[in-house]
Amino acid sequence: MKIKNAKVIVSCPGRNFVTLKIETDAGVYGLGDATLNGRELAVASYLENYCIPMLLGKDPRNTEDLWNYFYRGVYWKRGAVNMAALSAIDLALWDIKGKLLGTPLYNLLGGKSRERVLVYAHATGKDSAEALDSVGKKLDLGFSAVRVQAGVPNVPASYGVARGEGPYEPAAPGLPHEESWDTPRYLRFAPKLFQNVRDAYGDDVLLLHDVHHRCTPIEAARLAKDLEPYRLFWLEDPVTGELQEGLRLLRRHSVTPVAIGEVFNSVYDYTSLISEQLIDFVRMPLSHGGGVTHLLKLAAFAGIYHVQMGFHGATDLSPVNLAASIHFDLAVSNFGIQEYMPHPEVVNEVFKVNYRFERGTLSIDDTPGIGVDIDEEQAARYPYQMACLPVARKLDGTLTYW
Ligand code: KDG
Ligand code: MG
């Protein structure tokens, strides 16, 4: 059996998605998500100019060998663009494998460890009162786990706060816009926000919060310690991902659980963090971290240290990635939680999905492979539109982490 064709489909139903479609001479094709928010065309070009010519003629069933071909075989390994492309290839090949064997992906990963996948929603508000209101709405929808983000008083743009009525979407058309940020005000505000949420909704709701890389190690330690009374399910990206040593300082001061890695792209980003017990949850998604082949190894390694999986699931990851994540979450024993930001309705014109939200959980049907399809005619109706994530400056103008 051979790969006879592969193509990259870039489409913008409300936001840009990059989808890799690999076709075989057995009449079966597979889909992979190659979306890298704000850098979509870099991945598309790498796939089209380098990876696809190398894939043609190869046996699609050899997922392990092909994974190594595009990882070990690439001298300039790792990096977000390279790994997004490899992830898409790997997901498409596992999709093909499932279709060839006539079984859903989760069966190839060990079968079901659970019937449904616990997910968390995003609550957002321009101030504490609005955020509280938003938490209540998510609970009414059936969620039992909620990430809470709110505008910080006297800070012009806080992470995770929706600009208008809809859900939070940081990417905006054109070149990056600039936001201003102030960590000291945030550090004073965040514990009060969570005190209010616990007072209003009690102890049972699972609460999460995303710092989005904005604290120094000592600030992160202070925040994690101050949030301890509110028993967060996790505190996400308290320090910027590349400063892994920073988490040692946080660990010395707090038992607030830590999740990290939505910007990581390799098992090697995690080996010290996991073996030194500096984190509690893995965030690296299938579509950026090397696909099923790489993440299965990472999940097994994490499980030995009682570290759980908590995949990134923002709307800038396509339905192909979300469906693959659900299969993975159903199967691995050390699953923790899945982020779930529903895609806007227009996305469903392009992607035909096979998962369903119910009572704070997601489930998936038994369609062989990943089970998501793409309507290429619909995709063509939504051409690529340049959009970028913001950059952030401190109030004095210094560029900082967004
Ligand atoms: O593209 C960037 C988003 O995916 C990111 O800002 C979302 O941090 C995020 C999250 O936890 O969902
Ligand atoms: Mg995040």
Side-chain angles (χ1 to χ4, degrees), residues 324-341:
S325 303
I326 299 167
H327 287 282
F328 197 98
D329 295 339
L330 285 172
V332 296
S333 73
N334 55 325
F335 165 70
I337 201 164
Q338 170 70 49
E339 181 177 18
Y340 178 47
M341 270 184 93

mmCIF file with all atom_site columns, all heavy atoms in Angstrom, residues 324-341:
data_model
loop_
_atom_site.group_PDB
_atom_site.id
_atom_site.type_symbol
_atom_site.label_atom_id
_atom_site.label_alt_id
_atom_site.label_comp_id
_atom_site.label_asym_id
_atom_site.label_entity_id
_atom_site.label_seq_id
_atom_site.pdbx_PDB_ins_code
_atom_site.Cartn_x
_atom_site.Cartn_y
_atom_site.Cartn_z
_atom_site.occupancy
_atom_site.B_iso_or_equiv
_atom_site.pdbx_formal_charge
_atom_site.auth_seq_id
_atom_site.auth_comp_id
_atom_site.auth_asym_id
_atom_site.auth_atom_id
_atom_site.pdbx_PDB_model_num
ATOM 1   N N   . ALA A 1 324 ? -9.469  13.848 17.618 1.00 0.00 ? 324 ALA A N   1
ATOM 2   C CA  . ALA A 1 324 ? -8.347  12.949 17.934 1.00 0.00 ? 324 ALA A CA  1
ATOM 3   C C   . ALA A 1 324 ? -8.053  12.997 19.437 1.00 0.00 ? 324 ALA A C   1
ATOM 4   O O   . ALA A 1 324 ? -7.757  11.969 20.062 1.00 0.00 ? 324 ALA A O   1
ATOM 5   C CB  . ALA A 1 324 ? -7.115  13.343 17.126 1.00 0.00 ? 324 ALA A CB  1
ATOM 6   N N   . SER A 1 325 ? -8.164  14.201 20.033 1.00 0.00 ? 325 SER A N   1
ATOM 7   C CA  . SER A 1 325 ? -7.914  14.344 21.479 1.00 0.00 ? 325 SER A CA  1
ATOM 8   C C   . SER A 1 325 ? -8.926  13.534 22.276 1.00 0.00 ? 325 SER A C   1
ATOM 9   O O   . SER A 1 325 ? -8.572  12.912 23.288 1.00 0.00 ? 325 SER A O   1
ATOM 10  C CB  . SER A 1 325 ? -7.997  15.812 21.902 1.00 0.00 ? 325 SER A CB  1
ATOM 11  O OG  . SER A 1 325 ? -7.100  16.583 21.161 1.00 0.00 ? 325 SER A OG  1
ATOM 12  N N   . ILE A 1 326 ? -10.179 13.557 21.845 1.00 0.00 ? 326 ILE A N   1
ATOM 13  C CA  . ILE A 1 326 ? -11.209 12.803 22.586 1.00 0.00 ? 326 ILE A CA  1
ATOM 14  C C   . ILE A 1 326 ? -10.894 11.304 22.551 1.00 0.00 ? 326 ILE A C   1
ATOM 15  O O   . ILE A 1 326 ? -10.984 10.617 23.575 1.00 0.00 ? 326 ILE A O   1
ATOM 16  C CB  . ILE A 1 326 ? -12.621 13.108 22.027 1.00 0.00 ? 326 ILE A CB  1
ATOM 17  C CG1 . ILE A 1 326 ? -12.942 14.602 22.187 1.00 0.00 ? 326 ILE A CG1 1
ATOM 18  C CG2 . ILE A 1 326 ? -13.678 12.262 22.743 1.00 0.00 ? 326 ILE A CG2 1
ATOM 19  C CD1 . ILE A 1 326 ? -14.153 15.074 21.394 1.00 0.00 ? 326 ILE A CD1 1
ATOM 20  N N   . HIS A 1 327 ? -10.510 10.799 21.372 1.00 0.00 ? 327 HIS A N   1
ATOM 21  C CA  . HIS A 1 327 ? -10.114 9.376  21.292 1.00 0.00 ? 327 HIS A CA  1
ATOM 22  C C   . HIS A 1 327 ? -9.000  9.077  22.292 1.00 0.00 ? 327 HIS A C   1
ATOM 23  O O   . HIS A 1 327 ? -9.037  8.071  23.017 1.00 0.00 ? 327 HIS A O   1
ATOM 24  C CB  . HIS A 1 327 ? -9.603  9.042  19.882 1.00 0.00 ? 327 HIS A CB  1
ATOM 25  C CG  . HIS A 1 327 ? -10.673 8.959  18.843 1.00 0.00 ? 327 HIS A CG  1
ATOM 26  N ND1 . HIS A 1 327 ? -11.499 7.871  18.710 1.00 0.00 ? 327 HIS A ND1 1
ATOM 27  C CD2 . HIS A 1 327 ? -11.046 9.817  17.867 1.00 0.00 ? 327 HIS A CD2 1
ATOM 28  C CE1 . HIS A 1 327 ? -12.336 8.060  17.696 1.00 0.00 ? 327 HIS A CE1 1
ATOM 29  N NE2 . HIS A 1 327 ? -12.083 9.248  17.166 1.00 0.00 ? 327 HIS A NE2 1
ATOM 30  N N   . PHE A 1 328 ? -8.003  9.949  22.290 1.00 0.00 ? 328 PHE A N   1
ATOM 31  C CA  . PHE A 1 328 ? -6.831  9.767  23.156 1.00 0.00 ? 328 PHE A CA  1
ATOM 32  C C   . PHE A 1 328 ? -7.252  9.830  24.627 1.00 0.00 ? 328 PHE A C   1
ATOM 33  O O   . PHE A 1 328 ? -6.855  8.989  25.440 1.00 0.00 ? 328 PHE A O   1
ATOM 34  C CB  . PHE A 1 328 ? -5.831  10.890 22.831 1.00 0.00 ? 328 PHE A CB  1
ATOM 35  C CG  . PHE A 1 328 ? -4.433  10.656 23.311 1.00 0.00 ? 328 PHE A CG  1
ATOM 36  C CD1 . PHE A 1 328 ? -3.454  10.161 22.452 1.00 0.00 ? 328 PHE A CD1 1
ATOM 37  C CD2 . PHE A 1 328 ? -4.070  10.957 24.608 1.00 0.00 ? 328 PHE A CD2 1
ATOM 38  C CE1 . PHE A 1 328 ? -2.152  9.960  22.891 1.00 0.00 ? 328 PHE A CE1 1
ATOM 39  C CE2 . PHE A 1 328 ? -2.769  10.758 25.056 1.00 0.00 ? 328 PHE A CE2 1
ATOM 40  C CZ  . PHE A 1 328 ? -1.811  10.258 24.200 1.00 0.00 ? 328 PHE A CZ  1
ATOM 41  N N   . ASP A 1 329 ? -8.086  10.828 24.952 1.00 0.00 ? 329 ASP A N   1
ATOM 42  C CA  . ASP A 1 329 ? -8.545  11.021 26.341 1.00 0.00 ? 329 ASP A CA  1
ATOM 43  C C   . ASP A 1 329 ? -9.376  9.827  26.825 1.00 0.00 ? 329 ASP A C   1
ATOM 44  O O   . ASP A 1 329 ? -9.342  9.473  28.002 1.00 0.00 ? 329 ASP A O   1
ATOM 45  C CB  . ASP A 1 329 ? -9.415  12.279 26.436 1.00 0.00 ? 329 ASP A CB  1
ATOM 46  C CG  . ASP A 1 329 ? -8.642  13.559 26.143 1.00 0.00 ? 329 ASP A CG  1
ATOM 47  O OD1 . ASP A 1 329 ? -7.413  13.574 26.254 1.00 0.00 ? 329 ASP A OD1 1
ATOM 48  O OD2 . ASP A 1 329 ? -9.302  14.564 25.792 1.00 0.00 ? 329 ASP A OD2 1
ATOM 49  N N   . LEU A 1 330 ? -10.144 9.235  25.919 1.00 0.00 ? 330 LEU A N   1
ATOM 50  C CA  . LEU A 1 330 ? -10.949 8.068  26.297 1.00 0.00 ? 330 LEU A CA  1
ATOM 51  C C   . LEU A 1 330 ? -10.052 6.889  26.651 1.00 0.00 ? 330 LEU A C   1
ATOM 52  O O   . LEU A 1 330 ? -10.393 6.075  27.509 1.00 0.00 ? 330 LEU A O   1
ATOM 53  C CB  . LEU A 1 330 ? -11.864 7.641  25.140 1.00 0.00 ? 330 LEU A CB  1
ATOM 54  C CG  . LEU A 1 330 ? -13.091 8.497  24.876 1.00 0.00 ? 330 LEU A CG  1
ATOM 55  C CD1 . LEU A 1 330 ? -13.776 8.044  23.588 1.00 0.00 ? 330 LEU A CD1 1
ATOM 56  C CD2 . LEU A 1 330 ? -14.072 8.417  26.044 1.00 0.00 ? 330 LEU A CD2 1
ATOM 57  N N   . ALA A 1 331 ? -8.884  6.838  25.998 1.00 0.00 ? 331 ALA A N   1
ATOM 58  C CA  . ALA A 1 331 ? -8.067  5.624  26.102 1.00 0.00 ? 331 ALA A CA  1
ATOM 59  C C   . ALA A 1 331 ? -7.040  5.646  27.233 1.00 0.00 ? 331 ALA A C   1
ATOM 60  O O   . ALA A 1 331 ? -6.910  4.665  27.960 1.00 0.00 ? 331 ALA A O   1
ATOM 61  C CB  . ALA A 1 331 ? -7.353  5.379  24.766 1.00 0.00 ? 331 ALA A CB  1
ATOM 62  N N   . VAL A 1 332 ? -6.301  6.765  27.387 1.00 0.00 ? 332 VAL A N   1
ATOM 63  C CA  . VAL A 1 332 ? -5.156  6.692  28.316 1.00 0.00 ? 332 VAL A CA  1
ATOM 64  C C   . VAL A 1 332 ? -5.629  6.695  29.763 1.00 0.00 ? 332 VAL A C   1
ATOM 65  O O   . VAL A 1 332 ? -6.604  7.367  30.107 1.00 0.00 ? 332 VAL A O   1
ATOM 66  C CB  . VAL A 1 332 ? -4.122  7.830  28.087 1.00 0.00 ? 332 VAL A CB  1
ATOM 67  C CG1 . VAL A 1 332 ? -3.483  7.698  26.716 1.00 0.00 ? 332 VAL A CG1 1
ATOM 68  C CG2 . VAL A 1 332 ? -4.719  9.202  28.292 1.00 0.00 ? 332 VAL A CG2 1
ATOM 69  N N   . SER A 1 333 ? -4.910  5.964  30.609 1.00 0.00 ? 333 SER A N   1
ATOM 70  C CA  . SER A 1 333 ? -5.411  5.830  31.987 1.00 0.00 ? 333 SER A CA  1
ATOM 71  C C   . SER A 1 333 ? -5.167  7.101  32.789 1.00 0.00 ? 333 SER A C   1
ATOM 72  O O   . SER A 1 333 ? -5.913  7.412  33.708 1.00 0.00 ? 333 SER A O   1
ATOM 73  C CB  . SER A 1 333 ? -4.786  4.619  32.672 1.00 0.00 ? 333 SER A CB  1
ATOM 74  O OG  . SER A 1 333 ? -3.453  4.889  32.978 1.00 0.00 ? 333 SER A OG  1
ATOM 75  N N   . ASN A 1 334 ? -4.117  7.869  32.453 1.00 0.00 ? 334 ASN A N   1
ATOM 76  C CA  . ASN A 1 334 ? -3.831  9.084  33.231 1.00 0.00 ? 334 ASN A CA  1
ATOM 77  C C   . ASN A 1 334 ? -4.432  10.329 32.584 1.00 0.00 ? 334 ASN A C   1
ATOM 78  O O   . ASN A 1 334 ? -3.807  11.395 32.549 1.00 0.00 ? 334 ASN A O   1
ATOM 79  C CB  . ASN A 1 334 ? -2.324  9.264  33.468 1.00 0.00 ? 334 ASN A CB  1
ATOM 80  C CG  . ASN A 1 334 ? -1.500  9.270  32.199 1.00 0.00 ? 334 ASN A CG  1
ATOM 81  O OD1 . ASN A 1 334 ? -1.825  8.568  31.252 1.00 0.00 ? 334 ASN A OD1 1
ATOM 82  N ND2 . ASN A 1 334 ? -0.429  10.031 32.181 1.00 0.00 ? 334 ASN A ND2 1
ATOM 83  N N   . PHE A 1 335 ? -5.655  10.191 32.071 1.00 0.00 ? 335 PHE A N   1
ATOM 84  C CA  . PHE A 1 335 ? -6.379  11.373 31.572 1.00 0.00 ? 335 PHE A CA  1
ATOM 85  C C   . PHE A 1 335 ? -6.844  12.216 32.757 1.00 0.00 ? 335 PHE A C   1
ATOM 86  O O   . PHE A 1 335 ? -7.314  11.687 33.764 1.00 0.00 ? 335 PHE A O   1
ATOM 87  C CB  . PHE A 1 335 ? -7.589  10.912 30.749 1.00 0.00 ? 335 PHE A CB  1
ATOM 88  C CG  . PHE A 1 335 ? -8.591  12.014 30.506 1.00 0.00 ? 335 PHE A CG  1
ATOM 89  C CD1 . PHE A 1 335 ? -8.282  13.064 29.657 1.00 0.00 ? 335 PHE A CD1 1
ATOM 90  C CD2 . PHE A 1 335 ? -9.822  12.013 31.151 1.00 0.00 ? 335 PHE A CD2 1
ATOM 91  C CE1 . PHE A 1 335 ? -9.187  14.102 29.452 1.00 0.00 ? 335 PHE A CE1 1
ATOM 92  C CE2 . PHE A 1 335 ? -10.739 13.036 30.948 1.00 0.00 ? 335 PHE A CE2 1
ATOM 93  C CZ  . PHE A 1 335 ? -10.417 14.079 30.094 1.00 0.00 ? 335 PHE A CZ  1
ATOM 94  N N   . GLY A 1 336 ? -6.704  13.550 32.629 1.00 0.00 ? 336 GLY A N   1
ATOM 95  C CA  . GLY A 1 336 ? -7.174  14.451 33.685 1.00 0.00 ? 336 GLY A CA  1
ATOM 96  C C   . GLY A 1 336 ? -8.404  15.227 33.260 1.00 0.00 ? 336 GLY A C   1
ATOM 97  O O   . GLY A 1 336 ? -9.503  15.057 33.796 1.00 0.00 ? 336 GLY A O   1
ATOM 98  N N   . ILE A 1 337 ? -8.246  16.071 32.242 1.00 0.00 ? 337 ILE A N   1
ATOM 99  C CA  . ILE A 1 337 ? -9.351  16.922 31.783 1.00 0.00 ? 337 ILE A CA  1
ATOM 100 C C   . ILE A 1 337 ? -9.018  17.387 30.371 1.00 0.00 ? 337 ILE A C   1
ATOM 101 O O   . ILE A 1 337 ? -7.841  17.385 29.970 1.00 0.00 ? 337 ILE A O   1
ATOM 102 C CB  . ILE A 1 337 ? -9.535  18.120 32.752 1.00 0.00 ? 337 ILE A CB  1
ATOM 103 C CG1 . ILE A 1 337 ? -10.933 18.724 32.653 1.00 0.00 ? 337 ILE A CG1 1
ATOM 104 C CG2 . ILE A 1 337 ? -8.469  19.190 32.534 1.00 0.00 ? 337 ILE A CG2 1
ATOM 105 C CD1 . ILE A 1 337 ? -11.289 19.636 33.823 1.00 0.00 ? 337 ILE A CD1 1
ATOM 106 N N   . GLN A 1 338 ? -10.046 17.763 29.605 1.00 0.00 ? 338 GLN A N   1
ATOM 107 C CA  . GLN A 1 338 ? -9.884  18.259 28.235 1.00 0.00 ? 338 GLN A CA  1
ATOM 108 C C   . GLN A 1 338 ? -10.446 19.675 28.172 1.00 0.00 ? 338 GLN A C   1
ATOM 109 O O   . GLN A 1 338 ? -11.582 19.911 28.617 1.00 0.00 ? 338 GLN A O   1
ATOM 110 C CB  . GLN A 1 338 ? -10.632 17.340 27.254 1.00 0.00 ? 338 GLN A CB  1
ATOM 111 C CG  . GLN A 1 338 ? -10.760 17.862 25.838 1.00 0.00 ? 338 GLN A CG  1
ATOM 112 C CD  . GLN A 1 338 ? -9.424  17.876 25.093 1.00 0.00 ? 338 GLN A CD  1
ATOM 113 O OE1 . GLN A 1 338 ? -8.685  16.887 25.087 1.00 0.00 ? 338 GLN A OE1 1
ATOM 114 N NE2 . GLN A 1 338 ? -9.112  18.998 24.462 1.00 0.00 ? 338 GLN A NE2 1
ATOM 115 N N   . GLU A 1 339 ? -9.672  20.603 27.620 1.00 0.00 ? 339 GLU A N   1
ATOM 116 C CA  . GLU A 1 339 ? -10.215 21.956 27.392 1.00 0.00 ? 339 GLU A CA  1
ATOM 117 C C   . GLU A 1 339 ? -11.214 21.899 26.239 1.00 0.00 ? 339 GLU A C   1
ATOM 118 O O   . GLU A 1 339 ? -10.969 21.255 25.221 1.00 0.00 ? 339 GLU A O   1
ATOM 119 C CB  . GLU A 1 339 ? -9.067  22.911 27.027 1.00 0.00 ? 339 GLU A CB  1
ATOM 120 C CG  . GLU A 1 339 ? -9.525  24.347 26.806 1.00 0.00 ? 339 GLU A CG  1
ATOM 121 C CD  . GLU A 1 339 ? -8.355  25.284 26.511 1.00 0.00 ? 339 GLU A CD  1
ATOM 122 O OE1 . GLU A 1 339 ? -7.261  24.799 26.151 1.00 0.00 ? 339 GLU A OE1 1
ATOM 123 O OE2 . GLU A 1 339 ? -8.547  26.509 26.644 1.00 0.00 ? 339 GLU A OE2 1
ATOM 124 N N   . TYR A 1 340 ? -12.340 22.583 26.402 1.00 0.00 ? 340 TYR A N   1
ATOM 125 C CA  . TYR A 1 340 ? -13.358 22.571 25.343 1.00 0.00 ? 340 TYR A CA  1
ATOM 126 C C   . TYR A 1 340 ? -13.918 23.966 25.132 1.00 0.00 ? 340 TYR A C   1
ATOM 127 O O   . TYR A 1 340 ? -14.659 24.487 25.954 1.00 0.00 ? 340 TYR A O   1
ATOM 128 C CB  . TYR A 1 340 ? -14.491 21.607 25.708 1.00 0.00 ? 340 TYR A CB  1
ATOM 129 C CG  . TYR A 1 340 ? -15.615 21.572 24.694 1.00 0.00 ? 340 TYR A CG  1
ATOM 130 C CD1 . TYR A 1 340 ? -15.346 21.470 23.330 1.00 0.00 ? 340 TYR A CD1 1
ATOM 131 C CD2 . TYR A 1 340 ? -16.948 21.640 25.093 1.00 0.00 ? 340 TYR A CD2 1
ATOM 132 C CE1 . TYR A 1 340 ? -16.371 21.441 22.397 1.00 0.00 ? 340 TYR A CE1 1
ATOM 133 C CE2 . TYR A 1 340 ? -17.975 21.600 24.170 1.00 0.00 ? 340 TYR A CE2 1
ATOM 134 C CZ  . TYR A 1 340 ? -17.682 21.500 22.824 1.00 0.00 ? 340 TYR A CZ  1
ATOM 135 O OH  . TYR A 1 340 ? -18.704 21.479 21.896 1.00 0.00 ? 340 TYR A OH  1
ATOM 136 N N   . MET A 1 341 ? -13.511 24.555 24.000 1.00 0.00 ? 341 MET A N   1
ATOM 137 C CA  . MET A 1 341 ? -14.095 25.817 23.534 1.00 0.00 ? 341 MET A CA  1
ATOM 138 C C   . MET A 1 341 ? -14.850 25.460 22.272 1.00 0.00 ? 341 MET A C   1
ATOM 139 O O   . MET A 1 341 ? -14.221 25.185 21.253 1.00 0.00 ? 341 MET A O   1
ATOM 140 C CB  . MET A 1 341 ? -12.988 26.795 23.141 1.00 0.00 ? 341 MET A CB  1
ATOM 141 C CG  . MET A 1 341 ? -12.488 27.703 24.218 1.00 0.00 ? 341 MET A CG  1
ATOM 142 S SD  . MET A 1 341 ? -11.277 28.832 23.465 1.00 0.00 ? 341 MET A SD  1
ATOM 143 C CE  . MET A 1 341 ? -12.311 30.236 23.051 1.00 0.00 ? 341 MET A CE  1
#
